[in-house]
Amino acid sequence: MTGNGGRVEYRLARNAVVKEFKRGRLSRLDVCDAHPELIRAALNVGTPLEEDCPICAEVRVVHVTYVFGSRLPPHGRCPATAAELARLCRRADEVACYVVEVCPECRWNHLARMYPAGGRHRARLRATARG
Ligand SMILES: [Zn+2]
């Protein structure tokens, strides 16, 4: 699941959790535990996907990105705009971007992917941004 310049996809792990929920082995309490801060980020700065929530199917899920790195808050920075995210990804210091799938309705949440940016990843990011 790695490769692609250090990018890690968590889709399989996410699908496994959804499957367990549908089989009744996990309850909504187990999977719908998003922190209020994450829900607020999802509503304010989340990127809506063309995909219904796998748990409640009431609304579309959104992606929220957190950026971790030196001189950033220990719990990560949640950029409010695409421009701010792009700026964080162009830093001289390497950063780690965590994309979380969130449902603002039922509070389902799961890590979607992680990718490194900044530092030595800046040139590669520019090169792949067009594709
Ligand atoms: Zn939901």
PDB file of all heavy atoms in Angstrom, residues 59-89:
ATOM      1  N   VAL A  59     -25.859  11.881   4.097  1.00  0.00           N
ATOM      2  CA  VAL A  59     -25.174  13.012   3.457  1.00  0.00           C
ATOM      3  C   VAL A  59     -23.883  12.509   2.812  1.00  0.00           C
ATOM      4  O   VAL A  59     -23.454  11.383   3.044  1.00  0.00           O
ATOM      5  CB  VAL A  59     -24.827  14.126   4.482  1.00  0.00           C
ATOM      6  CG1 VAL A  59     -26.080  14.743   5.065  1.00  0.00           C
ATOM      7  CG2 VAL A  59     -23.942  13.594   5.589  1.00  0.00           C
ATOM      8  N   ARG A  60     -23.269  13.388   2.008  1.00  0.00           N
ATOM      9  CA  ARG A  60     -21.970  13.080   1.414  1.00  0.00           C
ATOM     10  C   ARG A  60     -20.887  13.233   2.477  1.00  0.00           C
ATOM     11  O   ARG A  60     -20.994  14.091   3.348  1.00  0.00           O
ATOM     12  CB  ARG A  60     -21.682  14.054   0.268  1.00  0.00           C
ATOM     13  CG  ARG A  60     -22.748  14.059  -0.808  1.00  0.00           C
ATOM     14  CD  ARG A  60     -22.421  13.011  -1.849  1.00  0.00           C
ATOM     15  NE  ARG A  60     -23.541  12.798  -2.763  1.00  0.00           N
ATOM     16  CZ  ARG A  60     -23.720  13.470  -3.908  1.00  0.00           C
ATOM     17  NH1 ARG A  60     -22.878  14.408  -4.246  1.00  0.00           N
ATOM     18  NH2 ARG A  60     -24.738  13.186  -4.681  1.00  0.00           N
ATOM     19  N   VAL A  61     -19.871  12.396   2.368  1.00  0.00           N
ATOM     20  CA  VAL A  61     -18.743  12.545   3.282  1.00  0.00           C
ATOM     21  C   VAL A  61     -17.844  13.680   2.790  1.00  0.00           C
ATOM     22  O   VAL A  61     -17.900  14.065   1.617  1.00  0.00           O
ATOM     23  CB  VAL A  61     -17.909  11.241   3.395  1.00  0.00           C
ATOM     24  CG1 VAL A  61     -18.674  10.189   4.156  1.00  0.00           C
ATOM     25  CG2 VAL A  61     -17.468  10.745   2.037  1.00  0.00           C
ATOM     26  N   VAL A  62     -17.035  14.214   3.678  1.00  0.00           N
ATOM     27  CA  VAL A  62     -16.090  15.261   3.312  1.00  0.00           C
ATOM     28  C   VAL A  62     -14.687  14.838   3.745  1.00  0.00           C
ATOM     29  O   VAL A  62     -14.531  14.000   4.643  1.00  0.00           O
ATOM     30  CB  VAL A  62     -16.446  16.623   3.941  1.00  0.00           C
ATOM     31  CG1 VAL A  62     -17.830  17.072   3.539  1.00  0.00           C
ATOM     32  CG2 VAL A  62     -16.327  16.576   5.444  1.00  0.00           C
ATOM     33  N   HIS A  63     -13.702  15.406   3.084  1.00  0.00           N
ATOM     34  CA  HIS A  63     -12.313  15.176   3.456  1.00  0.00           C
ATOM     35  C   HIS A  63     -11.772  16.389   4.191  1.00  0.00           C
ATOM     36  O   HIS A  63     -11.962  17.523   3.753  1.00  0.00           O
ATOM     37  CB  HIS A  63     -11.451  14.917   2.209  1.00  0.00           C
ATOM     38  CG  HIS A  63     -11.405  13.483   1.798  1.00  0.00           C
ATOM     39  ND1 HIS A  63     -10.809  13.059   0.645  1.00  0.00           N
ATOM     40  CD2 HIS A  63     -11.883  12.373   2.416  1.00  0.00           C
ATOM     41  CE1 HIS A  63     -10.910  11.733   0.563  1.00  0.00           C
ATOM     42  NE2 HIS A  63     -11.565  11.289   1.610  1.00  0.00           N
ATOM     43  N   VAL A  64     -11.123  16.141   5.320  1.00  0.00           N
ATOM     44  CA  VAL A  64     -10.462  17.198   6.085  1.00  0.00           C
ATOM     45  C   VAL A  64      -8.980  16.848   6.138  1.00  0.00           C
ATOM     46  O   VAL A  64      -8.620  15.699   6.391  1.00  0.00           O
ATOM     47  CB  VAL A  64     -11.031  17.296   7.521  1.00  0.00           C
ATOM     48  CG1 VAL A  64     -10.269  18.348   8.318  1.00  0.00           C
ATOM     49  CG2 VAL A  64     -12.507  17.621   7.491  1.00  0.00           C
ATOM     50  N   THR A  65      -8.135  17.828   5.872  1.00  0.00           N
ATOM     51  CA  THR A  65      -6.693  17.596   5.870  1.00  0.00           C
ATOM     52  C   THR A  65      -6.046  18.242   7.091  1.00  0.00           C
ATOM     53  O   THR A  65      -6.352  19.390   7.424  1.00  0.00           O
ATOM     54  CB  THR A  65      -6.048  18.180   4.593  1.00  0.00           C
ATOM     55  OG1 THR A  65      -6.682  17.605   3.460  1.00  0.00           O
ATOM     56  CG2 THR A  65      -4.559  17.868   4.541  1.00  0.00           C
ATOM     57  N   TYR A  66      -5.195  17.474   7.759  1.00  0.00           N
ATOM     58  CA  TYR A  66      -4.384  17.994   8.863  1.00  0.00           C
ATOM     59  C   TYR A  66      -2.927  17.908   8.460  1.00  0.00           C
ATOM     60  O   TYR A  66      -2.499  16.895   7.915  1.00  0.00           O
ATOM     61  CB  TYR A  66      -4.611  17.193  10.143  1.00  0.00           C
ATOM     62  CG  TYR A  66      -5.925  17.489  10.814  1.00  0.00           C
ATOM     63  CD1 TYR A  66      -7.048  16.731  10.533  1.00  0.00           C
ATOM     64  CD2 TYR A  66      -6.033  18.536  11.718  1.00  0.00           C
ATOM     65  CE1 TYR A  66      -8.267  17.009  11.138  1.00  0.00           C
ATOM     66  CE2 TYR A  66      -7.237  18.820  12.322  1.00  0.00           C
ATOM     67  CZ  TYR A  66      -8.354  18.053  12.036  1.00  0.00           C
ATOM     68  OH  TYR A  66      -9.542  18.338  12.633  1.00  0.00           O
ATOM     69  N   VAL A  67      -2.182  18.960   8.727  1.00  0.00           N
ATOM     70  CA  VAL A  67      -0.774  18.984   8.363  1.00  0.00           C
ATOM     71  C   VAL A  67       0.066  19.000   9.632  1.00  0.00           C
ATOM     72  O   VAL A  67      -0.157  19.820  10.533  1.00  0.00           O
ATOM     73  CB  VAL A  67      -0.455  20.226   7.496  1.00  0.00           C
ATOM     74  CG1 VAL A  67       1.005  20.212   7.057  1.00  0.00           C
ATOM     75  CG2 VAL A  67      -1.369  20.274   6.273  1.00  0.00           C
ATOM     76  N   PHE A  68       1.002  18.062   9.710  1.00  0.00           N
ATOM     77  CA  PHE A  68       1.886  17.954  10.866  1.00  0.00           C
ATOM     78  C   PHE A  68       3.318  18.249  10.438  1.00  0.00           C
ATOM     79  O   PHE A  68       3.743  17.828   9.368  1.00  0.00           O
ATOM     80  CB  PHE A  68       1.830  16.538  11.461  1.00  0.00           C
ATOM     81  CG  PHE A  68       0.504  16.204  12.078  1.00  0.00           C
ATOM     82  CD1 PHE A  68      -0.539  15.739  11.289  1.00  0.00           C
ATOM     83  CD2 PHE A  68       0.303  16.365  13.437  1.00  0.00           C
ATOM     84  CE1 PHE A  68      -1.775  15.435  11.854  1.00  0.00           C
ATOM     85  CE2 PHE A  68      -0.919  16.059  14.007  1.00  0.00           C
ATOM     86  CZ  PHE A  68      -1.963  15.597  13.216  1.00  0.00           C
ATOM     87  N   GLY A  69       4.046  18.948  11.276  1.00  0.00           N
ATOM     88  CA  GLY A  69       5.438  19.221  10.971  1.00  0.00           C
ATOM     89  C   GLY A  69       6.031  20.123  12.036  1.00  0.00           C
ATOM     90  O   GLY A  69       5.333  20.538  12.968  1.00  0.00           O
ATOM     91  N   SER A  70       7.320  20.428  11.876  1.00  0.00           N
ATOM     92  CA  SER A  70       7.968  21.290  12.846  1.00  0.00           C
ATOM     93  C   SER A  70       7.360  22.685  12.797  1.00  0.00           C
ATOM     94  O   SER A  70       6.960  23.160  11.734  1.00  0.00           O
ATOM     95  CB  SER A  70       9.477  21.361  12.562  1.00  0.00           C
ATOM     96  OG  SER A  70       9.692  21.877  11.277  1.00  0.00           O
ATOM     97  N   ARG A  71       7.278  23.328  13.929  1.00  0.00           N
ATOM     98  CA  ARG A  71       6.685  24.661  14.089  1.00  0.00           C
ATOM     99  C   ARG A  71       5.206  24.693  13.727  1.00  0.00           C
ATOM    100  O   ARG A  71       4.640  25.741  13.422  1.00  0.00           O
ATOM    101  CB  ARG A  71       7.476  25.714  13.292  1.00  0.00           C
ATOM    102  CG  ARG A  71       8.795  26.059  13.994  1.00  0.00           C
ATOM    103  CD  ARG A  71       9.641  27.046  13.225  1.00  0.00           C
ATOM    104  NE  ARG A  71      10.315  26.418  12.104  1.00  0.00           N
ATOM    105  CZ  ARG A  71      10.275  26.880  10.853  1.00  0.00           C
ATOM    106  NH1 ARG A  71       9.606  27.955  10.571  1.00  0.00           N
ATOM    107  NH2 ARG A  71      10.937  26.263   9.912  1.00  0.00           N
ATOM    108  N   LEU A  72       4.556  23.538  13.735  1.00  0.00           N
ATOM    109  CA  LEU A  72       3.096  23.474  13.602  1.00  0.00           C
ATOM    110  C   LEU A  72       2.546  22.949  14.919  1.00  0.00           C
ATOM    111  O   LEU A  72       3.267  22.321  15.684  1.00  0.00           O
ATOM    112  CB  LEU A  72       2.702  22.547  12.449  1.00  0.00           C
ATOM    113  CG  LEU A  72       3.048  23.049  11.039  1.00  0.00           C
ATOM    114  CD1 LEU A  72       2.694  21.989  10.002  1.00  0.00           C
ATOM    115  CD2 LEU A  72       2.311  24.339  10.731  1.00  0.00           C
ATOM    116  N   PRO A  73       1.265  23.201  15.222  1.00  0.00           N
ATOM    117  CA  PRO A  73       0.712  22.716  16.503  1.00  0.00           C
ATOM    118  C   PRO A  73       0.854  21.198  16.628  1.00  0.00           C
ATOM    119  O   PRO A  73       0.814  20.501  15.613  1.00  0.00           O
ATOM    120  CB  PRO A  73      -0.772  23.110  16.402  1.00  0.00           C
ATOM    121  CG  PRO A  73      -0.846  24.146  15.341  1.00  0.00           C
ATOM    122  CD  PRO A  73       0.296  23.909  14.400  1.00  0.00           C
ATOM    123  N   PRO A  74       1.029  20.686  17.854  1.00  0.00           N
ATOM    124  CA  PRO A  74       1.206  19.234  18.045  1.00  0.00           C
ATOM    125  C   PRO A  74       0.023  18.421  17.529  1.00  0.00           C
ATOM    126  O   PRO A  74       0.191  17.275  17.116  1.00  0.00           O
ATOM    127  CB  PRO A  74       1.350  19.070  19.556  1.00  0.00           C
ATOM    128  CG  PRO A  74       1.298  20.416  20.157  1.00  0.00           C
ATOM    129  CD  PRO A  74       1.116  21.447  19.076  1.00  0.00           C
ATOM    130  N   HIS A  75      -1.176  19.014  17.529  1.00  0.00           N
ATOM    131  CA  HIS A  75      -2.342  18.296  17.020  1.00  0.00           C
ATOM    132  C   HIS A  75      -2.563  18.579  15.538  1.00  0.00           C
ATOM    133  O   HIS A  75      -3.590  18.226  14.975  1.00  0.00           O
ATOM    134  CB  HIS A  75      -3.589  18.684  17.822  1.00  0.00           C
ATOM    135  CG  HIS A  75      -3.802  20.168  17.895  1.00  0.00           C
ATOM    136  ND1 HIS A  75      -3.203  20.947  18.862  1.00  0.00           N
ATOM    137  CD2 HIS A  75      -4.505  21.017  17.117  1.00  0.00           C
ATOM    138  CE1 HIS A  75      -3.544  22.221  18.660  1.00  0.00           C
ATOM    139  NE2 HIS A  75      -4.319  22.288  17.612  1.00  0.00           N
ATOM    140  N   GLY A  76      -1.575  19.242  14.900  1.00  0.00           N
ATOM    141  CA  GLY A  76      -1.665  19.489  13.466  1.00  0.00           C
ATOM    142  C   GLY A  76      -2.350  20.800  13.145  1.00  0.00           C
ATOM    143  O   GLY A  76      -3.070  21.356  13.948  1.00  0.00           O
ATOM    144  N   ARG A  77      -2.073  21.286  11.942  1.00  0.00           N
ATOM    145  CA  ARG A  77      -2.727  22.490  11.448  1.00  0.00           C
ATOM    146  C   ARG A  77      -3.777  22.053  10.439  1.00  0.00           C
ATOM    147  O   ARG A  77      -3.524  21.231   9.581  1.00  0.00           O
ATOM    148  CB  ARG A  77      -1.679  23.402  10.789  1.00  0.00           C
ATOM    149  CG  ARG A  77      -2.220  24.551   9.974  1.00  0.00           C
ATOM    150  CD  ARG A  77      -2.720  25.705  10.837  1.00  0.00           C
ATOM    151  NE  ARG A  77      -1.714  26.201  11.757  1.00  0.00           N
ATOM    152  CZ  ARG A  77      -0.713  27.023  11.419  1.00  0.00           C
ATOM    153  NH1 ARG A  77      -0.571  27.445  10.195  1.00  0.00           N
ATOM    154  NH2 ARG A  77       0.152  27.423  12.325  1.00  0.00           N
ATOM    155  N   CYS A  78      -4.974  22.618  10.564  1.00  0.00           N
ATOM    156  CA  CYS A  78      -6.057  22.290   9.638  1.00  0.00           C
ATOM    157  C   CYS A  78      -6.253  23.500   8.719  1.00  0.00           C
ATOM    158  O   CYS A  78      -6.901  24.466   9.102  1.00  0.00           O
ATOM    159  CB  CYS A  78      -7.328  21.986  10.414  1.00  0.00           C
ATOM    160  SG  CYS A  78      -8.673  21.444   9.373  1.00  0.00           S
ATOM    161  N   PRO A  79      -5.666  23.466   7.518  1.00  0.00           N
ATOM    162  CA  PRO A  79      -5.740  24.643   6.657  1.00  0.00           C
ATOM    163  C   PRO A  79      -7.168  24.973   6.243  1.00  0.00           C
ATOM    164  O   PRO A  79      -7.950  24.079   5.922  1.00  0.00           O
ATOM    165  CB  PRO A  79      -4.887  24.266   5.443  1.00  0.00           C
ATOM    166  CG  PRO A  79      -4.584  22.838   5.547  1.00  0.00           C
ATOM    167  CD  PRO A  79      -4.960  22.350   6.906  1.00  0.00           C
ATOM    168  N   ALA A  80      -7.498  26.283   6.276  1.00  0.00           N
ATOM    169  CA  ALA A  80      -8.865  26.713   6.002  1.00  0.00           C
ATOM    170  C   ALA A  80      -9.153  26.810   4.510  1.00  0.00           C
ATOM    171  O   ALA A  80     -10.298  26.760   4.097  1.00  0.00           O
ATOM    172  CB  ALA A  80      -9.128  28.064   6.668  1.00  0.00           C
ATOM    173  N   THR A  81      -8.102  26.945   3.725  1.00  0.00           N
ATOM    174  CA  THR A  81      -8.300  27.084   2.283  1.00  0.00           C
ATOM    175  C   THR A  81      -7.300  26.219   1.535  1.00  0.00           C
ATOM    176  O   THR A  81      -6.277  25.796   2.101  1.00  0.00           O
ATOM    177  CB  THR A  81      -8.077  28.548   1.835  1.00  0.00           C
ATOM    178  OG1 THR A  81      -6.720  28.904   2.129  1.00  0.00           O
ATOM    179  CG2 THR A  81      -9.015  29.505   2.546  1.00  0.00           C
ATOM    180  N   ALA A  82      -7.603  25.979   0.250  1.00  0.00           N
ATOM    181  CA  ALA A  82      -6.675  25.227  -0.596  1.00  0.00           C
ATOM    182  C   ALA A  82      -5.350  25.976  -0.714  1.00  0.00           C
ATOM    183  O   ALA A  82      -4.281  25.364  -0.788  1.00  0.00           O
ATOM    184  CB  ALA A  82      -7.281  25.001  -1.973  1.00  0.00           C
ATOM    185  N   ALA A  83      -5.438  27.312  -0.719  1.00  0.00           N
ATOM    186  CA  ALA A  83      -4.216  28.112  -0.842  1.00  0.00           C
ATOM    187  C   ALA A  83      -3.324  27.927   0.382  1.00  0.00           C
ATOM    188  O   ALA A  83      -2.101  27.827   0.265  1.00  0.00           O
ATOM    189  CB  ALA A  83      -4.573  29.583  -1.017  1.00  0.00           C
ATOM    190  N   GLU A  84      -3.952  27.873   1.572  1.00  0.00           N
ATOM    191  CA  GLU A  84      -3.158  27.677   2.788  1.00  0.00           C
ATOM    192  C   GLU A  84      -2.515  26.293   2.794  1.00  0.00           C
ATOM    193  O   GLU A  84      -1.361  26.134   3.193  1.00  0.00           O
ATOM    194  CB  GLU A  84      -4.035  27.869   4.034  1.00  0.00           C
ATOM    195  CG  GLU A  84      -3.188  27.937   5.306  1.00  0.00           C
ATOM    196  CD  GLU A  84      -4.020  27.938   6.585  1.00  0.00           C
ATOM    197  OE1 GLU A  84      -5.243  28.134   6.510  1.00  0.00           O
ATOM    198  OE2 GLU A  84      -3.417  27.728   7.654  1.00  0.00           O
ATOM    199  N   LEU A  85      -3.273  25.292   2.337  1.00  0.00           N
ATOM    200  CA  LEU A  85      -2.718  23.940   2.248  1.00  0.00           C
ATOM    201  C   LEU A  85      -1.525  23.920   1.296  1.00  0.00           C
ATOM    202  O   LEU A  85      -0.477  23.351   1.608  1.00  0.00           O
ATOM    203  CB  LEU A  85      -3.798  22.953   1.783  1.00  0.00           C
ATOM    204  CG  LEU A  85      -3.318  21.517   1.527  1.00  0.00           C
ATOM    205  CD1 LEU A  85      -2.773  20.889   2.803  1.00  0.00           C
ATOM    206  CD2 LEU A  85      -4.459  20.661   0.969  1.00  0.00           C
ATOM    207  N   ALA A  86      -1.684  24.560   0.141  1.00  0.00           N
ATOM    208  CA  ALA A  86      -0.599  24.593  -0.847  1.00  0.00           C
ATOM    209  C   ALA A  86       0.637  25.257  -0.254  1.00  0.00           C
ATOM    210  O   ALA A  86       1.768  24.811  -0.475  1.00  0.00           O
ATOM    211  CB  ALA A  86      -1.067  25.327  -2.099  1.00  0.00           C
ATOM    212  N   ARG A  87       0.413  26.325   0.542  1.00  0.00           N
ATOM    213  CA  ARG A  87       1.525  27.038   1.145  1.00  0.00           C
ATOM    214  C   ARG A  87       2.263  26.130   2.144  1.00  0.00           C
ATOM    215  O   ARG A  87       3.486  26.082   2.173  1.00  0.00           O
ATOM    216  CB  ARG A  87       1.001  28.292   1.860  1.00  0.00           C
ATOM    217  CG  ARG A  87       2.023  29.400   2.001  1.00  0.00           C
ATOM    218  CD  ARG A  87       1.355  30.747   2.201  1.00  0.00           C
ATOM    219  NE  ARG A  87       0.387  30.759   3.278  1.00  0.00           N
ATOM    220  CZ  ARG A  87      -0.884  31.126   3.136  1.00  0.00           C
ATOM    221  NH1 ARG A  87      -1.341  31.498   1.955  1.00  0.00           N
ATOM    222  NH2 ARG A  87      -1.715  31.111   4.162  1.00  0.00           N
ATOM    223  N   LEU A  88       1.487  25.385   2.956  1.00  0.00           N
ATOM    224  CA  LEU A  88       2.101  24.470   3.928  1.00  0.00           C
ATOM    225  C   LEU A  88       2.900  23.390   3.202  1.00  0.00           C
ATOM    226  O   LEU A  88       3.950  22.956   3.683  1.00  0.00           O
ATOM    227  CB  LEU A  88       1.009  23.821   4.792  1.00  0.00           C
ATOM    228  CG  LEU A  88       0.394  24.725   5.866  1.00  0.00           C
ATOM    229  CD1 LEU A  88      -0.881  24.102   6.404  1.00  0.00           C
ATOM    230  CD2 LEU A  88       1.374  24.974   6.997  1.00  0.00           C
ATOM    231  N   CYS A  89       2.411  22.956   2.044  1.00  0.00           N
ATOM    232  CA  CYS A  89       3.068  21.884   1.291  1.00  0.00           C
ATOM    233  C   CYS A  89       4.313  22.376   0.559  1.00  0.00           C
ATOM    234  O   CYS A  89       5.057  21.580   0.016  1.00  0.00           O
ATOM    235  CB  CYS A  89       2.094  21.246   0.305  1.00  0.00           C
ATOM    236  SG  CYS A  89       0.802  20.295   1.121  1.00  0.00           S
TER     237      CYS A  89
END
